[in-house]
């Protein structure tokens, strides 16, 4: 029975399925990794600044803090599929190849992930014990030293978890980007699983995505535990 089921399942694969699956997997990982990196580079200082300008913080600034929170909240509130479509003109202007392909998808993926990661960064910093700032000041540390030698090391395990969560979330977003020609496993599932009526391809793409998520989460948890000396 199993052999008959497998035979039926495998017959739905195109002849070059192994090559298609490999290329699509590489595209998905490429989009997710690069978008996560961009989101971290932009979102980390944004999240830090949001925390540092909060009431009672070392750079307290109510107006700036309110502005940053509004920007982050608006960015997090926009559904990705809407953001993807809204950024098509900007993507076409930024990239010579237009709004189709993996590189084009990175623009919208980064835009969606940056406020998300900024909020995670801000929340991670709020978990730091309140007495740490007073201790650092008593030791004569400057604001920059407090950030670099106290806040950053203390929040590093949580920040690694935030990077992992962002990466996993973006893997799901790449599947949506695939519906608009973004490439990757999402595009493979749509083009073959839906348009060519090959549901086995959709299942195979889904299984690969699940495996990537599980491995990424395991790696992130391991790294977070290694740097956690609390």
């Amino acid at each position: 029975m199993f052999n008959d089921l497998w035979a039926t399942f495998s017959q739905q694969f195109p002849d070059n399925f192994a090559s298609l699956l490999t290329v699509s997997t590489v595209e998905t990982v490429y989009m997710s990794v690069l978008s996560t990196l961009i989101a971290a580079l932009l979102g980390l200082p944004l999240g830090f600044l949001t925390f540092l300008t909060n009431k009672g913080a070392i750079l307290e600034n109510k107006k700036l803090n309110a502005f940053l929170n509004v920007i982050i909240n608006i960015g997090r509130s926009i559904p990705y599929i809407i953001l993807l479509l809204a950024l098509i003109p900007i993507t076409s202007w930024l990239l010579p190849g237009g709004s189709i392909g993996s590189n084009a998808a990175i623009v919208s993926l980064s835009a969606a992930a940056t406020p998300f990661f900024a909020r995670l960064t801000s929340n991670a910093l709020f978990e730091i014990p309140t007495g740490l700032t007073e201790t650092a000041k008593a030791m004569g540390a400057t604001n920059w030293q407090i950030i670099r030698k106290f806040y950053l090391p203390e929040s590093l395990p949580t920040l690694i978890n935030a990077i992992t969560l962002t990466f996993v979330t973006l893997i799901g977003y790449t599947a949506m980007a695939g519906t608009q020609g973004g490439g990757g496993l999402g595009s493979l599932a749509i083009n073959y699983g839906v348009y060519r009526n090959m549901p086995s391809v959709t299942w195979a793409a889904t299984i690969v995505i699940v495996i990537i998520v599980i491995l990424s989460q395991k790696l992130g948890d391991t790294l977070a535990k290694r740097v956690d000396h609390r």
Side-chain angles (χ1 to χ4, degrees), residues 4 6 16-17 25 31 40 58 65 82 85 87 94 121 134 147 150 158 175 183 189 202-203 209 223:
D4 293 339
W6 172 250
N16 59 339
F17 176 69
T25 301
M31 289 187 290
I58 59 177
N65 183 262
I82 295 178
L85 297 174
L87 290 178
L94 288 174
T121 298
E134 286 72 18
I147 295 171
F150 292 88
T158 309
T202 301
W203 279 107
I209 289 175
L223 290 176

Side-chain angles (χ1 to χ4, degrees), residues 43-61:
L44 186 67
L46 182 60
F48 258 90
L49 189 59
T50 303
F51 168 76
L52 295 173
T53 56
N54 194 56
K55 183 177 180 180
I58 59 177
L59 299 177
E60 180 178 349
N61 188 318

Side-chain angles (χ1 to χ4, degrees), residues 38-216:
I38 294 173
L41 291 175
L42 298 177
L44 186 67
L46 182 60
F48 258 90
L49 189 59
T50 303
F51 168 76
L52 295 173
T53 56
N54 194 56
K55 183 177 180 180
I58 59 177
L59 299 177
E60 180 178 349
N61 188 318
K62 293 182 180 180
K63 291 184 179 180
L64 179 57
N65 183 262
F67 174 75
L68 293 174
N69 276 299
V70 168
I71 294 299
I72 292 174
N73 290 335
I74 291 176
R76 292 176 61 221
S77 300
I78 302 175
Y80 174 68
I81 191 65
I82 295 178
L83 183 64
L84 171 63
L85 297 174
L87 290 178
I88 287 178
I90 297 177
T91 303
S92 300
W93 176 72
L94 288 174
L95 300 176
S99 59
I100 303 298
S102 300
N103 288 329
I106 290 173
V107 175
S108 59
L109 290 170
S110 302
T114 295
F116 177 76
F117 186 78
R119 179 57 70 201
L120 292 177
T121 298
S122 178
N123 291 343
L125 292 167
F126 276 113
E127 295 180 7
I128 296 176
T130 54
L132 184 64
T133 304
E134 286 72 18
T135 301
K137 289 183 176 180
M139 296 172 63
T142 63
N143 288 343
W144 172 243
Q145 289 174 329
I146 292 175
I147 295 171
R148 184 167 59 90
K149 295 184 178 181
F150 292 88
Y151 289 167
L152 190 57
E154 187 70 20
S155 62
L156 187 57
T158 309
L159 290 176
I160 291 176
N161 287 330
I163 292 174
T164 304
L165 179 58
T166 302
F167 179 76
V168 169
T169 301
L170 285 175
I171 291 175
Y173 284 177
T174 61
M176 284 187 277
T179 65
Q180 303 299 319
L185 292 166
S187 181
L188 178 67
I190 292 295
N191 292 334
Y192 286 85
V194 177
Y195 295 153
R196 303 187 187 185
N197 194 26
M198 296 179 177
S200 296
V201 176
T202 301
W203 279 107
T206 302
I207 291 171
V208 174
I209 289 175
V210 170
I211 292 174
I212 294 174
V213 168
I214 292 174
L215 293 177
S216 302

